[in-house]
Amino acid sequence: MRIWPRRETAPGGSRAGGRPGDVGVSAVVGPDAVEVGGRRLRVGDGWCATFAVTGYPATLSAPALEGILSWPGRLDVVVHIEPIPAERAATRLRRQRVRLESTRRIDAVRGRLGDPQVEAAADDAADLADLVARGAGRLFRTGVYVTVHAATEEALIEACAQVRAAGASMLLELKPVTWRQVQGWTSTLPLGTDSVRMCRTLDTGALAALLPIASPDLPAPLPGDPEPAQALLYGLNIASPGLVMWDRWSLPNHNSVILAPSGSGKSFHVKLETLRGLYFGVEAHVVDREDEYVALARHVDGAVVQLGAPGVKLNPLDIPAGDRRPDALLRRALFLHTVVAVMTGQQLPPAETAALDQAILATYRRAGITTDPATWGRPAPLLADLHMTLAAGDQAGQTLAARLTPWVLGSFAGLFDAPTTTRPQGQLVVWSLRQLPDELSTVGTLLALDAIWRAIDTPPAPGRRVRRLVVVDEAWTMLRQPAAALWLFKMAKAARKRNAGLAVISQDIADVLGSDLGKAVINNSATQILMGQSPQTIDAVADAFALSDAERQLLQGAGQGVALLVSGSVRVGFEVVADRDEYPLVATDTPAEASRPTASLGSAVDDADLF
């Protein structure tokens, strides 16, 4: 059958039989003729066939149409969207739930096994009804049509087979609109008319994944917005050929949290980020419990403080060098209250607290240090001097002095019995706690954190703007210590005002998500990175970070070095990679393994020894 919709135009610009100047759009841009067949059209000199997307996967993830859109040929892909009013959507969902629930109950009464598809559909309908009722989502009637073009009929048949195969690879089923090819073709023209009406009902999330403008890559800056000045390479996008470049310093806060079990590659990623940040002048301070950052620090001429090693001393009574604020001495006195409380293992009673406060000020005065900043450069007293002042005081002071004896004269005194031996300086400072005995771990960690906070809290020189990154590895051990947990909370809250960022790394997800302070650290972290999760923890992680089903599957099946970056509405999966020069500095393998040649940057790395 042939259709000849176009009539000749008479001289003078008028259509034969019409008014002068009445020239329709179809007469100008339309084809000379259209030959209609059951499953294809001949439009002018070419051929085309239209398909409707009728089958979808259980979960749509962006970009759902990527397999079709990436086909190297001429395609017209159109998505028709018709919003469904909330009242009508709620009514439809209620009816659907009634039908599904009736089917389930009939099967139960008759002793038949439940249909898994019915069970899944009932759960999905309940979730959709909850979203619609809360206003968190909407339903849309959506029609997706694809028109394939080719020069000849034989080429069209081959092209249609390839397009349908590309759709099948994304679990999309394409059906030809048999004997409705004209309606299908016009539905894919920019006319805004759906003449086929082969629609499916989709919710907001599924529709967003279906839009052709969706992309698995990070969103580009809007026109007029500046480009990220210090974006670092995080890795390769696992859903596209692109790179994942991220700039934590352009976000509302500069904090990050990384949650992953042991061996997933979290320390490898953080060491890479730290190393690459040094290129941009970022100062890094690291709390390292396993000496994983020592090799990196020595390579970049950084400083390493190995607490617990022979000859390494820290004096908790030191006044921060360069701090000339009027309340610097008062701040040090308050910190000593925390140190003594940690040493004694309990909150001090009121009498001992008063005795300690008087003893601290008296000890400083005896050393010639007063509230006058000019005296703060004098040698600070030691913990032994404070102990002596307490022992010479009243009954409460003598009791407290007796409780502090093991830390002054006993087996715990090795870290505090001399003036501070090192004041680390450098672009990268690593506080190693591996050689610190477990009995001194809490106090040593507190002193290391205090030194880091003093470096962060001290204003830089006038006209100098410094970005500082504080890395706390194995943070789960700190969250179990009240004093250290409070420090993390304070750092997460106050780092942004000091142009600093906190990077918290933990493999014990229960400790982070199970405490109020841990949740506060997560809520104050604009950058959140998740790596492979175990079945025992995936539910808690999915609830805390509102993961979709596809993101749950990604984390459950993630290999070493595969991560999910979450930042507000931005979610992207990536694989961490390092080049040959970076790998020996950030790998946690033995020296023999670290010297192995590895893939260069930009290649997928599947060596199990890499992470």
Side-chain angles (χ1 to χ4, degrees), residues 16-194:
R19 296 190 303 271
D22 184 13
V23 180
V25 176
S26 62
V28 178
V29 301
D32 293 334
V34 177
E35 180 180 336
V36 181
R39 305 186 70 168
R40 60 188 64 90
L41 294 178
R42 183 174 182 179
V43 182
D45 296 333
W47 294 79
C48 67
T50 302
F51 297 86
V53 179
T54 59
Y56 296 85
T59 301
L60 281 175
S61 58
L65 297 178
E66 180 67 20
I68 297 175
L69 294 174
S70 61
W71 181 74
R74 181 185 170 189
L75 287 175
D76 295 329
V77 180
V78 174
V79 181
H80 289 275
I81 304 170
E82 178 185 346
I84 300 176
E87 298 80 6
R88 190 187 308 171
T91 302
R92 291 185 179 181
L93 286 172
R94 183 168 56 253
R95 292 175 181 174
Q96 181 70 4
R97 294 182 64 188
V98 169
R99 287 193 293 266
L100 294 172
E101 187 62 29
S102 299
T103 303
R104 296 168 65 178
R105 293 189 179 186
I106 291 173
D107 290 342
V109 170
R110 296 182 179 180
R112 294 184 299 201
L113 293 176
D115 188 346
Q117 293 184 354
V118 173
E119 299 286 342
D123 293 340
D124 292 342
D127 294 339
L128 283 178
D130 182 68
L131 290 176
V132 172
R134 297 176 183 274
R138 295 188 61 183
L139 297 185
F140 303 86
R141 286 181 56 83
T142 307
V144 182
Y145 308 104
V146 179
T147 297
V148 185
H149 296 266
T152 63
E153 186 173 8
E154 293 75 13
L156 178 65
I157 295 174
E158 182 179 356
C160 290
Q162 295 177 1
V163 172
R164 297 183 72 178
S169 68
M170 306 293 291
L171 300 181
L172 298 174
E173 185 177 2
L174 278 67
K175 293 291 187 181
V177 288
T178 306
W179 295 115
R180 288 190 291 173
Q181 287 293 318
V182 173
Q183 292 86 345
W185 173 54
T186 56
S187 295
T188 58
L189 294 177
L191 302 176
T193 302
D194 183 2

Side-chain angles (χ1 to χ4, degrees), residues 18 73 80 84 102 107 150 174 204 224 234 267 282 291 357 412 462 475 529 592:
H80 289 275
I84 300 176
S102 299
D107 290 342
L174 278 67
T204 306
Y234 270 29
S267 296
V282 177
D291 281 358
D357 192 65
F412 297 162
I529 298 177

Side-chain angles (χ1 to χ4, degrees), residues 175-524:
K175 293 291 187 181
V177 288
T178 306
W179 295 115
R180 288 190 291 173
Q181 287 293 318
V182 173
Q183 292 86 345
W185 173 54
T186 56
S187 295
T188 58
L189 294 177
L191 302 176
T193 302
D194 183 2
S195 303
V196 180
R197 304 297 295 175
M198 296 180 66
C199 300
R200 288 284 297 271
T201 301
L202 302 178
D203 66 335
T204 306
L207 178 60
L210 197 62
L211 293 178
I213 59 175
S215 172
D217 291 317
L218 292 172
L222 295 175
D225 290 346
E227 293 285 341
Q230 295 194 5
L232 301 180
L233 175 64
Y234 270 29
L236 307 178
N237 194 317
I238 61 177
S240 76
L243 302 176
V244 175
M245 306 288 293
W246 192 251
D247 183 9
R248 68 162 67 224
W249 307 104
S250 64
L251 302 178
N253 66 69
H254 315 318
N255 303 331
S256 66
V257 60
I258 302 179
L259 301 180
S262 177
S264 58
K266 55 186 183 300
S267 296
F268 188 91
H269 164 71
V270 175
K271 283 183 282 187
L272 267 180
E273 183 183 7
T274 303
L275 175 61
R276 293 165 180 170
L278 298 178
Y279 303 149
F280 290 95
V282 177
E283 291 184 2
H285 302 261
V286 182
V287 179
D288 183 12
R289 303 195 65 87
E290 297 297 335
D291 281 358
E292 294 189 60
Y293 297 79
V294 172
L296 176 61
R298 290 173 177 167
H299 179 80
V300 300
D301 294 332
V304 179
V305 182
Q306 292 185 322
L307 299 182
V312 177
K313 308 293 182 180
L314 278 181
N315 182 14
L317 281 78
D318 280 339
I319 297 178
D323 190 352
R324 290 299 179 264
R325 288 175 292 184
D327 60 345
L329 181 61
L330 177 61
R331 290 172 180 266
R332 186 58 13 187
L334 294 175
F335 173 70
L336 287 173
H337 280 269
T338 303
V339 172
V340 173
V342 172
M343 288 179 173
T344 57
Q346 63 181 17
Q347 189 67 32
L348 299 179
E352 294 184 9
T353 301
L356 176 61
D357 192 65
Q358 295 176 4
I360 291 173
L361 299 178
T363 302
Y364 276 117
R365 285 196 299 269
R366 189 174 291 111
I369 299 175
T370 64
T371 56
D372 183 5
T375 64
W376 296 349
R378 297 173 180 174
L382 302 178
L383 188 62
D385 299 325
L386 176 61
H387 178 268
M388 184 182 305
T389 304
L390 286 169
D394 56 10
Q395 181 64 36
Q398 295 174 4
T399 302
L400 182 57
R403 296 167 62 185
L404 288 177
T405 299
W407 300 90
V408 177
L409 304 174
S411 55
F412 297 162
L415 189 61
F416 322 102
D417 58 358
T420 299
T421 57
T422 177
R423 300 185 184 276
Q425 298 289 333
Q427 193 176 355
L428 174 60
V429 178
V430 176
W431 295 83
S432 173
L433 308 179
R434 185 169 186 175
Q435 300 186 41
L436 202 62
D438 293 340
E439 293 76 11
L440 297 177
S441 176
T442 303
V443 177
T445 302
L446 181 61
L447 294 178
L449 297 178
D450 173 67
I452 293 175
W453 177 256
R454 283 185 285 167
I456 298 299
D457 195 38
T458 301
R464 183 169 179 258
R465 183 176 177 85
V466 180
R467 287 174 171 169
R468 299 182 175 101
L469 178 65
V470 180
V471 179
V472 181
D473 207 345
E474 302 298 343
W476 61 273
T477 59
M478 298 179 59
L479 290 172
R480 293 180 178 180
Q481 305 169 9
L486 286 173
W487 184 91
L488 283 179
F489 176 74
K490 179 177 71 172
M491 183 67 188
K493 287 280 191 179
R496 183 186 65 84
K497 297 180 180 179
R498 291 160 176 80
N499 202 29
L502 173 66
V504 175
I505 315 166
S506 180
Q507 61 175 307
D508 198 327
I509 300 172
D511 279 350
V512 178
L513 299 180
S515 66
D516 293 336
L517 292 178
K519 292 179 181 178
V521 171
I522 292 178
N523 294 335
N524 285 277

